[in-house]
Amino acid sequence: MGGMIPPGTLARKSIELVQQMPLSLLLLMFLTLCLVVAVLLYLTLFIVAPVPRPPRRSEKTYKTILPDGKPSEDKDLPCWLDSWMAHKELARQNGDKLSPTGQIEEAEIFMSVVVPAYNEEERLGGMLEEAVDFLQREYGGAHGQGTEQITLKAAASKSNSKARINGPDHAGIEPRTRKGWEILIVSDGSTDKTVHQALNFAREHQLSQYPTPTPGPRTPHPTHSTHIPHGSIRVITLEENRGKGGAVTHGMRHVRGQYVVFADADGASRFGDLAKLVEGCRSVEDELGRGVAIGSRAHLVGSEAVVKRSKLRNFLMHSFHLLLRLMTPPATSSIKDTQCGFKLFSRPALPYIIPYMHSEGWIFDVEMLMLAESASIAMTEVAVGWKEVTGSKLNVIWDSLGMAWGLAILRASWAFGIYRKE
């Protein structure tokens, strides 16, 4: 014990040593320490920041139901993103500046619906019943039928763009002449009969003029169903689970519509409110036709459905909203409900968002909105009907913690250049 220096003496000698050092040396040591910490944090962020895997060959195909009622062979999905990337690479090689909107392929139909589905055999049919009833009534057939199909240009002329913003309809086209819709169901590595259920629904509603209606969350005893055109529903199968964000992003790479909406497979959002989303999006579109409409449940915060939730769930919800306001840029942080699974994008907005998506988990909605904001794309929040549906895959505690962690990583990755728009 006699050879040991008392802790107090050691601390005093250390302080005296620091006091004797030149100020320039102390400053250099401090800056070096800051640099080392910054490098370590950057490397840690680089390691933990998610990087989506490329789609596999089978995932770029789809199945549908043929006119004879049999499932089709795997068919190649059209992919506007592949064409856009090819144009971008060619422009880079030539030293030209690529206009993202100018190189996206023209829309073939008016509305595309992307439905991410993971083990949704029980809930999918009811959602589809409500969806096809609205889509067929509003937008007609999914494929060209004489003069009814209208091919809308993604990059409209300036005069047409003004008509899109100021007039009652895009480029003077009346609502009744805008035709065509599709539903892309993206089975996210499902292990149940989700794919079988989707194809059976398509078969029943294509072959029969009066198909048997499927009960849903709003219609437990339905009396009406809708005959749909052949090929209206396309089913994409991901080989393994990627997460809701990965499934939505994958589907949105292959849409053909002038407008694209993603909707949850549980049917919680009232599908008839899609018309309100289209109207909202059109009201904020810029001269390029870019706009985003966000389905919102914020008006339901004081409703019985929310009040009856557990105190823990409501606490986590409010905590997450506070975190969003603190960690996201102004336009995104002003959105009252970022997590509603009912968001609509105009086609010209897609090249500014989809190629740069990284998040594949629950927080992907926020990244979409941040990317839209960074590209100066106007966003509007639209109140939609919503109903609590049992069978959610969300684990309130763990997924809430995961969303908070994902948000922190996402924000830091964009802020420190881990993610870049190249």
Side-chain angles (χ1 to χ4, degrees):
M1 295 293 292
M4 295 184 63
I5 301 176
T9 303
L10 182 61
R12 187 168 57 253
K13 287 183 176 296
S14 299
I15 294 173
E16 291 174 354
L17 181 61
V18 171
Q19 290 175 339
Q20 293 170 5
M21 288 183 180
L23 181 60
S24 58
L25 180 59
L26 287 174
L27 182 60
L28 179 61
M29 291 175 63
F30 176 75
L31 292 176
T32 302
L33 178 62
C34 290
L35 180 61
V36 170
V37 171
V39 170
L40 289 175
L41 288 175
Y42 185 87
L43 290 175
T44 301
L45 186 61
F46 186 84
I47 293 171
V48 301
V51 178
R53 66 169 173 82
R56 295 167 183 168
R57 178 68 188 91
S58 68
E59 296 173 342
K60 301 186 77 171
T61 65
Y62 72 96
K63 285 184 180 295
T64 190
I65 295 298
L66 300 173
D68 63 3
K70 296 179 180 179
S72 69
E73 298 294 328
D74 289 340
K75 296 185 175 185
D76 289 336
L77 281 163
C79 185
W80 66 263
L81 181 60
D82 285 349
S83 300
W84 182 85
M85 293 291 288
H87 282 295
K88 182 179 180 181
E89 178 60 22
L90 182 62
R92 187 190 66 80
Q93 293 176 1
N94 295 336
D96 299 330
K97 184 177 180 181
L98 175 70
S99 170
T101 302
Q103 296 298 342
I104 187 172
E105 295 174 346
E106 294 180 353
E108 298 178 24
I109 54 179
F110 183 72
M111 182 63 65
S112 292
V113 181
V114 175
V115 182
Y118 173 65
N119 290 347
E120 292 287 359
E121 64 173 316
E122 297 295 331
R123 305 193 296 179
L124 182 61
M127 177 268 168
L128 290 176
E129 192 71 69
E130 184 178 356
V132 300
D133 179 65
F134 174 83
L135 292 169
Q136 184 62 19
R137 185 175 66 252
E138 292 293 319
Y139 306 127
H143 299 290
Q145 299 175 357
T147 59
E148 286 189 332
Q149 171 131 0
I150 302 296
T151 300
L152 298 173
K153 294 182 180 296
S157 65
K158 187 173 182 180
S159 61
N160 283 349
S161 298
K162 288 181 179 178
R164 181 188 298 113
I165 297 171
N166 300 321
D169 270 292
H170 287 270
I173 299 173
E174 293 299 322
R176 63 180 178 274
T177 64
R178 300 197 310 258
K179 296 295 182 181
W181 58 271
E182 65 179 353
I183 296 178
L184 302 183
I185 299 168
V186 185
S187 175
D188 188 19
S190 298
T191 56
D192 67 353
K193 296 181 180 179
T194 293
V195 171
H196 179 75
Q197 168 70 10
L199 292 173
N200 272 353
F201 181 94
R203 180 185 296 107
E204 170 71 14
H205 287 70
Q206 287 179 193
L207 297 184
S208 174
Q209 287 295 325
Y210 304 99
T212 302
T214 305
R218 289 182 179 77
T219 54
H221 306 289
T223 58
H224 169 75
S225 193
T226 304
H227 173 75
I228 63 175
H230 296 290
S232 306
I233 295 176
R234 299 181 171 192
V235 181
I236 304 166
T237 301
L238 302 186
E239 293 183 14
E240 61 183 63
N241 182 265
R242 300 184 65 163
K244 181 181 177 182
V248 168
T249 301
H250 183 80
M252 293 181 75
R253 294 171 181 152
H254 302 285
V255 292
R256 298 175 294 152
Q258 176 65 17
Y259 287 97
V260 181
V261 65
F262 66 82
D264 289 341
D266 60 4
S269 298
R270 184 167 56 220
F271 206 88
D273 286 337
L274 177 58
K276 294 167 61 177
L277 290 183
V278 174
E279 181 181 356
C281 186
R282 289 169 50 77
S283 71
V284 299
E285 286 174 8
D286 60 17
E287 66 278 4
L288 297 176
R290 307 178 309 165
V292 177
I294 303 157
S296 176
R297 303 160 296 183
H299 62 293
L300 299 173
V301 168
S303 68
E304 183 179 4
V306 175
V307 171
K308 282 187 175 181
R309 286 179 170 179
S310 68
K311 292 182 179 179
L312 174 61
R313 186 165 182 173
N314 282 326
F315 170 76
L316 292 173
M317 177 185 69
H318 292 300
S319 298
F320 180 70
H321 289 165
L322 176 61
L323 196 61
L324 278 172
R325 286 196 292 271
L326 295 174
M327 296 186 64
T328 56
T332 302
S333 64
S334 68
I335 301 298
K336 296 177 182 178
D337 182 9
T338 61
Q339 301 309 114
C340 180
F342 204 42
K343 295 181 176 66
L344 179 126
F345 304 78
S346 66
R347 189 174 186 84
L350 298 182
Y352 296 85
I353 300 171
I354 301 305
Y356 310 107
M357 286 293 296
H358 295 85
S359 178
E360 295 193 307
W362 296 104
I363 204 66
F364 81 99
D365 305 71
V366 177
E367 185 172 26
M368 282 186 163
L369 302 183
M370 287 171 54
L371 286 167
E373 179 176 359
S374 71
S376 300
I377 298 174
M379 300 181 286
T380 183
E381 207 164 358
V382 179
V384 296
W386 181 81
K387 179 181 177 65
E388 187 92 50
V389 180
T390 59
S392 172
K393 309 296 188 303
L394 181 71
N395 182 295
V396 176
I397 297 178
W398 289 111
D399 286 325
S400 295
L401 293 174
M403 288 168 69
W405 169 256
L407 177 59
I409 296 299
L410 178 66
R411 193 69 176 102
S413 296
W414 280 107
F416 292 104
I418 302 295
Y419 297 157
R420 293 189 297 271
K421 286 189 173 183
E422 297 178 348

